[in-house]
Structures are given as structure tokens and as C-alpha cells.
Amino acid sequence: EVGTLTPQPQAGNPPPRLFRLPRDRALVNRMGFNNGGVHAAAERLRRRTSRIVVGGNIGKNKDTPNERAVDDYLTCFRALFDVVDYFVVNVSSPNTPGLRALQDREPLAALLQALQEDNAARPKPKPILLKIAPDLEPAQLDDVVAIVQQVGIAGIVATNTTIARDGLRSDPAAIAAAGAGGLSGAPLRARSTEVVRHLHRATRGRIPIIASGGVFDAAGAREKFAAGAALVQVWTGFVYEGPGIVRAICRDLAASGGGAGPVRAGD
């Protein structure tokens, strides 16, 4: 999964913008959608020879007001359509000012409807998934489910990083030095699983959920599958454990004889 990509190139937030909290097996990032623009990414993807499944994670530029956010997402969707296999709509990063407001019921419905209409008009539509924050309240999660079902997109990614800092064991000075941004890794595990479970129950298992948050091993992946996930994504675990994490998780799941679905490295 590549991204998050935006229509125009942007530098992202000033570095340093990625911090490890090793005692918590966590990361804090405030990258700010740093990328060379969706058209440059599409050109690189067009030249790839691998047949591995690739997703396009799309967002809006920092200086685009929310009132025009739909245009940015459509630009990215159209630029990537022929070179990716699925899409993730990122409205949940805490590192672009105002972005999370797009998770509110009316703007979210308008955004997903516009994307799905463009998608449905094509001969072979692509799966579109919505990536949500772990900080949403139950009523907000229910709104998300209602919109996803109404619009008919393919699934939900649960979850993005959190703005919470509860229960961390790291030195408070290290946490303060990391500053603002999204927290990911082991401290997010329980909350992301809770969100997956809520979504699975609310949708009666009819909408695929990609679980992300605190997966470092087979036990973490198995927990997500038990909560109702169809797929599991790793990011912070990939940083701490290295690229062998996917093979190790799949091997251990297979050896234990169940609870396994596909596991992949995220964006």
C-alpha cells in the first residue's frame, strides 16, 4: 500500500517527524503526507513489473480546504486507477490540520459517494476502503458503518494512529520530546481490536475489515482475526521486527492450525 498520496507534491511536516518509544514498542509520527505527488507515483507504478497486489492510499493536500477535499481525492483516484488494485481513503491521519473532520457524517458521505460514483462508471470498478481513526466514539463508528453500507464501498481499515497517550511506560521526557503526532504500535493494540470488534458486530460480518494496530506477532494477528478482521496489516511491527515479520506471522499461524488470513505490510 503506497501513500498517503496527494494531488500536488508536498514536503510534509518539518523533520524530525518520526520517533521511536522503545519501552512501549511504539512510534510517534507526524509525517504530514510527504510525497512527490500522485502523478509521479502513478508513473513509477506504471513501470513496475511485479504482479504483487498494490493499494493506493489517497488524501488531500494540506492547503486544500475541506470544502474542496472531494476534488483532491477524485484527482488521486483517477490518476491511480489503472496502476493499483484497490484504494484506501485516508481521512483519519492526525497530521494534516482539519483532515479528521472529514470523518463527520455529512462530509464523509459526500466524499465516499463521489468516489463510488466515479468508480461505478468504469467497466471494472476497484475496491475502495475507508481508513478510520481509533479515537472515534461508538456512535461515530455506527455512523461510519451506516455510510459505508449506504454508499457500498468495499470495506474498512481499522485503524489509523491515535492522538491518545494513555498508559505509556516511556520516560515522560521522551514522550514530550516526540511531541504531537499519531501514536502507533503496541499501545494501540487493544483499542484497534476493540474498534474491529465493534465494526464486525455492527456490520454482522458483511463488510471486510483490514485490522491494523499493534500487530507484532502471530498472537496479535490472531487476536484481530478473532475480533472479525478479514485481513491484517502491519506497520510499526514492520519497523521494529524488520521485513521478516510477515513470513514469521504466517508461519506461526499455519503451525498453530488456524486463525489465519492474509497478512501484509502497510504503507
Side-chain angles (χ1 to χ4, degrees):
E1 187 174 311
V2 297
T4 296
L5 298 170
T6 56
Q8 300 300 320
Q10 61 182 28
N13 293 320
R17 54 196 179 191
L18 179 64
F19 304 84
R20 294 194 190 206
L21 299 176
R23 287 192 64 188
D24 291 292
R25 303 188 82 197
L27 299 176
V28 173
N29 97 80
R30 49 175 175 273
M31 306 303 285
F33 293 173
N34 52 311
N35 73 111
V38 70
H39 298 289
E43 185 56 36
R44 288 197 299 275
L45 288 167
R46 195 167 285 112
R47 297 195 301 266
R48 70 186 177 98
T49 57
S50 168
R51 299 183 67 182
I52 192 171
V53 172
V54 173
N57 187 307
I58 59 176
K60 77 173 188 71
N61 281 111
K62 181 178 181 178
D63 58 359
T64 299
N66 282 2
E67 293 76 17
R68 298 209 307 270
V70 171
D71 295 336
D72 274 19
Y73 285 89
L74 282 171
T75 295
C76 292
F77 182 80
R78 291 163 179 166
L80 292 173
F81 189 88
D82 293 330
V83 293
V84 299
D85 301 293
Y86 70 95
F87 288 89
V88 173
V89 180
N90 188 353
V91 291
S92 50
S93 169
N95 300 316
T96 297
L99 185 76
R100 284 188 166 194
L102 294 176
Q103 294 177 114
D104 292 345
R105 189 177 187 113
E106 290 186 10
L108 183 61
L111 171 59
L112 295 182
Q113 186 65 46
L115 289 168
Q116 189 67 324
E117 286 177 1
D118 192 296
N119 193 34
R122 298 170 183 269
K124 293 183 179 180
K126 300 281 177 75
I128 298 175
L129 300 102
L130 172 68
K131 189 170 188 176
I132 63 170
D135 308 307
L136 297 179
E137 299 294 332
Q140 294 174 298
L141 293 175
D142 291 338
D143 282 347
V144 166
V145 167
I147 293 166
V148 167
Q149 291 175 326
Q150 172 191 332
V151 176
I153 65 168
I156 302 171
V157 181
T159 62
N160 210 319
T161 58
T162 180
I163 58 174
R165 298 292 189 269
D166 302 332
L168 296 180
R169 298 178 298 171
S170 296
D171 187 317
I175 298 171
L183 177 78
S184 61
L188 186 56
R189 175 173 168 173
R191 176 55 185 164
S192 68
T193 300
E194 181 183 345
V195 172
V196 170
R197 186 175 293 112
H198 183 109
L199 295 172
H200 181 70
R201 288 174 177 169
T203 63
R204 299 182 181 181
R206 294 172 182 167
I207 296 178
I209 301 167
I210 297 179
S212 178
V215 177
F216 285 77
D217 53 26
R222 193 178 293 109
E223 177 184 289
K224 296 292 195 275
F225 291 129
L231 296 156
V232 170
Q233 186 177 59
V234 295
W235 183 58
T236 302
F238 191 85
V239 172
Y240 274 93
E241 302 295 327
I245 184 174
V246 175
R247 183 187 297 272
I249 290 176
C250 290
R251 181 193 63 223
D252 293 349
L253 287 173
S256 66
V263 181
R264 62 186 178 80
D267 58 348

